[in-house]
C-alpha cells in the first residue's frame, strides 16, 4: 500500500465509542447484533464514510481466491510502482504470495509490500486480503515493519481485524460504480487508523510506463480525520490492479506509476515465501499482543484447505 493514512487519536476515540455503544446503551450492556435496518440508522463514521462493514466469515470460501476484475491477487504476481514522495525517488514492490493466514475467522491471501526510498527500504509489510462469494475484496489487517537507516525499528502500525477493536474494511467493491456510497477500508482505533474510499470515475483511459490501459477504475482514498493528508486518486486497470497513484492536496505528495508487471517463476516465488515466513515469525516477537494473536502463515494447499471451525 503506497501510503498509510492516520487519524487524530483525540478525535477518533469518541467516534469509536459511539460505534461500539448504540443509543441508550451502556458500557456494561450485553452487545446486540443489529438488524440491517438498525445498522443503517446507527452511528456512522465521520467524513461521510458510512458504517464499518460487517465481516461475516461464513460468506468467504474455505480456500481463498481473489479474482476481482480490478484487484486480482494471483500468487506470483509482482507489481512495481515508481515515482517520488516530496521530491524523493520512491518505489513500491507488491508481490502476491502463495501463503495464507487466518484473520478474524477468514483465511486470507498474504500480500508482501516493500517501500523503498532510493535503494533503502523504508517499510516491509504483510497485508491480508480475502474475497467473499459476491466478489468484494476485503482488507483484514496489516503488519508493517518500519526501517530507519536500514535498521528494523518496530511495527507500531500493526492492526488485525477483531483485535483491539480493529475492523476489516473493503479493498475493492465487487461492482464499483460512480455514486456508490463511500466505504471504509479499515478501522483500528488503538493506532488511530481510519481509511475511506469512494468510486471517483470509471471507464477511463490511463497511460503509465508499461503501457496504456482502457476501462480503468479511479477511486478516491482519504482519511477524514486527517485533512492535511489530502486525498489519493488510485487507478485500477482490469485484470492488473493498481497502476497509478496521484495526490490531491497532500502536504507530502506521493505520485506513483506502474513500471513493472511480472509473474514470478517457481524459484523466485520460493525466495519470496521464505522472506515472508521469516517476517511472519518476527511478528510474534515484535507485536505479541496484536499480531501474536494470529496463527502462523502457511502455504496454500493445491487441493484445497480444511474448512474453518
Amino acid at each position: 500500500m503506497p501510503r498509510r493514512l492516520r487519524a487524530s487519536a483525540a478525535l477518533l476515540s469518541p467516534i469509536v465509542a459511539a460505534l461500539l455503544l448504540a443509543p441508550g446503551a451502556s458500557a456494561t450492556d450485553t452487545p446486540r447484533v443489529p438488524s440491517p435496518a438498525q445498522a443503517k440508522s446507527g452511528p456512522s463514521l465521520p467524513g461521510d464514510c458510512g458504517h464499518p462493514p460487517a465481516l461475516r466469515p461464513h460468506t468467504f470460501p474455505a480456500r481463498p481466491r481473489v479474482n476481482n476484475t480490478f484487484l486480482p491477487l494471483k500468487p506470483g504476481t509482482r507489481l512495481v510502482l515508481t515515482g517520488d514522495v516530496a521530491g524523493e525517488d520512491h518505489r513500491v514492490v507488491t508481490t502476491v504470495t502463495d501463503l495464507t493466514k487466518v484473520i478474524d475467522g477468514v483465511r486470507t491471501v498474504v500480500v508482501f509490500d516493500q517501500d523503498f526510498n532510493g535503494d533503502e527500504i523504508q517499510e516491509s509489510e504483510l497485508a491480508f486480503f480475502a474475497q467473499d462469494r459476491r466478489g468484494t475484496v476485503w482488507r483484514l489487517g496489516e503488519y508493517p515493519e518500519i526501517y530507519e537507516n536500514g535498521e528494523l525499528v518496530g511495527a507500531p502500525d500493526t492492526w488485525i481485524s477483531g483485535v483491539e477493536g480493529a475492523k476489516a474494511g473493503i479493498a475493492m467493491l465487487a461492482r464499483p460504480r460512480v455514486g456508490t456510497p463511500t466505504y471504509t477500508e479499515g478501522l483500528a482505533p488503538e493506532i488511530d487508523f481510519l481509511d475511506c474510499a469512494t468510486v471517483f470515475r470509471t471507464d477511463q483511459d490511463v497511460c503509465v510506463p508499461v503501457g496504456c490501459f482502457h476501462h480503468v477504475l479511479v477511486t478516491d482514498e482519504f482519511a477524514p480525520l486527517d485533512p492535511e493528508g489530502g486525498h489519493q486518486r488510485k487507478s485500477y486497470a482490469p485484470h492488473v490492479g493498481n497502476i497509478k497513484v496521484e495526490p490531491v492536496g497532500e502536504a507530502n505528495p506521493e505520485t506513483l506509476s506502474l513500471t513493472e508487471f511480472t509473474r514470478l517463476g517457481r524459484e523466485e516465488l520460493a525466495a519470496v515465501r521464505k522472506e515472508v515466513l521469516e517476517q511472519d515469525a518476527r511478528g510474534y516477537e515484535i507485536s505479541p499482543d496484536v499480531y501474536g494473536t494470529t496463527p502462523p502463515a502457511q502455504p496454500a494447499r493445491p487441493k484445497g484447505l480444511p474448512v474453518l471451525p
Side-chain angles (χ1 to χ4, degrees):
M1 186 173 66
R3 177 171 62 95
R4 182 168 292 99
L5 304 173
R6 288 289 177 256
S8 163
L11 292 173
L12 183 58
S13 298
I15 291 165
V16 172
L19 288 168
L20 298 178
L21 294 175
S26 69
T28 57
D29 285 341
T30 301
R32 294 179 300 139
V33 179
S35 67
Q38 288 173 323
K40 290 180 181 179
S41 61
S44 62
L45 292 169
D48 296 323
C49 284
H51 307 262
L55 182 72
R56 297 182 173 86
H58 68 274
T59 64
F60 292 82
R63 182 183 180 186
R65 182 186 182 197
V66 181
N67 60 358
N68 181 291
T69 299
F70 294 103
L71 192 62
L73 299 177
K74 183 177 180 179
T77 302
R78 171 169 287 171
L79 294 87
V80 179
L81 281 82
T82 304
D84 67 83
V85 177
E88 294 187 32
D89 291 339
H90 191 62
R91 180 165 48 99
V92 178
V93 181
T94 299
T95 306
V96 183
T97 77
D98 59 353
L99 296 168
T100 71
K101 190 178 185 74
V102 176
I103 303 288
D104 208 2
V106 176
R107 193 175 294 276
T108 68
V109 173
V110 182
V111 175
F112 187 36
D113 274 346
Q114 295 172 294
D115 286 22
F116 298 87
N117 277 350
D119 293 327
E120 188 172 282
I121 190 165
Q122 302 294 307
E123 181 178 287
S124 180
E125 175 182 282
L126 306 184
F128 309 101
F129 298 86
Q131 181 175 301
D132 64 26
R133 290 190 175 93
R134 292 190 174 186
T136 298
V137 182
W138 293 68
R139 178 185 284 108
L140 289 92
E142 298 167 333
Y143 171 60
E145 293 184 341
I146 307 301
Y147 288 78
E148 293 181 1
N149 300 317
E151 297 292 329
L152 175 61
V153 297
D157 295 334
T158 300
W159 70 276
I160 295 294
S161 180
V163 180
E164 296 186 338
K167 295 179 181 293
I170 294 174
M172 182 58 66
L173 296 168
R175 290 172 290 278
R177 296 183 179 90
V178 174
T180 302
T182 297
Y183 51 92
T184 306
E185 295 188 302
L187 171 66
E190 288 296 316
I191 60 168
D192 311 322
F193 170 72
L194 173 62
D195 271 7
C196 303
T198 189
V199 177
F200 183 64
R201 287 175 180 160
T202 59
D203 206 28
Q204 300 295 295
D205 295 325
V206 177
C207 292
V208 291
V210 298
C212 293
F213 297 87
H214 308 291
H215 309 297
V216 171
L217 166 72
V218 182
T219 64
D220 184 275
E221 181 182 291
F222 62 100
L225 301 180
D226 182 21
E228 293 184 0
H231 289 229
Q232 285 186 335
R233 301 275 166 77
K234 295 185 177 180
S235 298
Y236 293 87
H239 312 297
V240 176
N242 188 200
I243 61 170
K244 194 170 187 178
V245 179
E246 296 178 288
V248 178
E250 284 188 41
N252 297 304
E254 176 178 41
T255 301
L256 296 167
S257 294
L258 185 67
T259 54
E260 183 180 335
F261 178 74
T262 58
R263 305 285 189 190
L264 301 185
R266 182 176 299 179
E267 292 184 1
E268 293 174 305
L269 185 57
V272 171
R273 184 191 314 128
K274 180 176 182 295
E275 188 173 358
V276 169
L277 287 174
E278 290 173 353
Q279 181 166 331
D280 179 64
R282 281 196 305 272
Y284 294 91
E285 298 179 4
I286 294 175
S287 179
D289 296 334
V290 179
Y291 199 73
T293 65
T294 67
Q298 60 179 277
R301 296 186 177 95
K303 294 185 178 181
L305 292 161
V307 175
L308 295 172

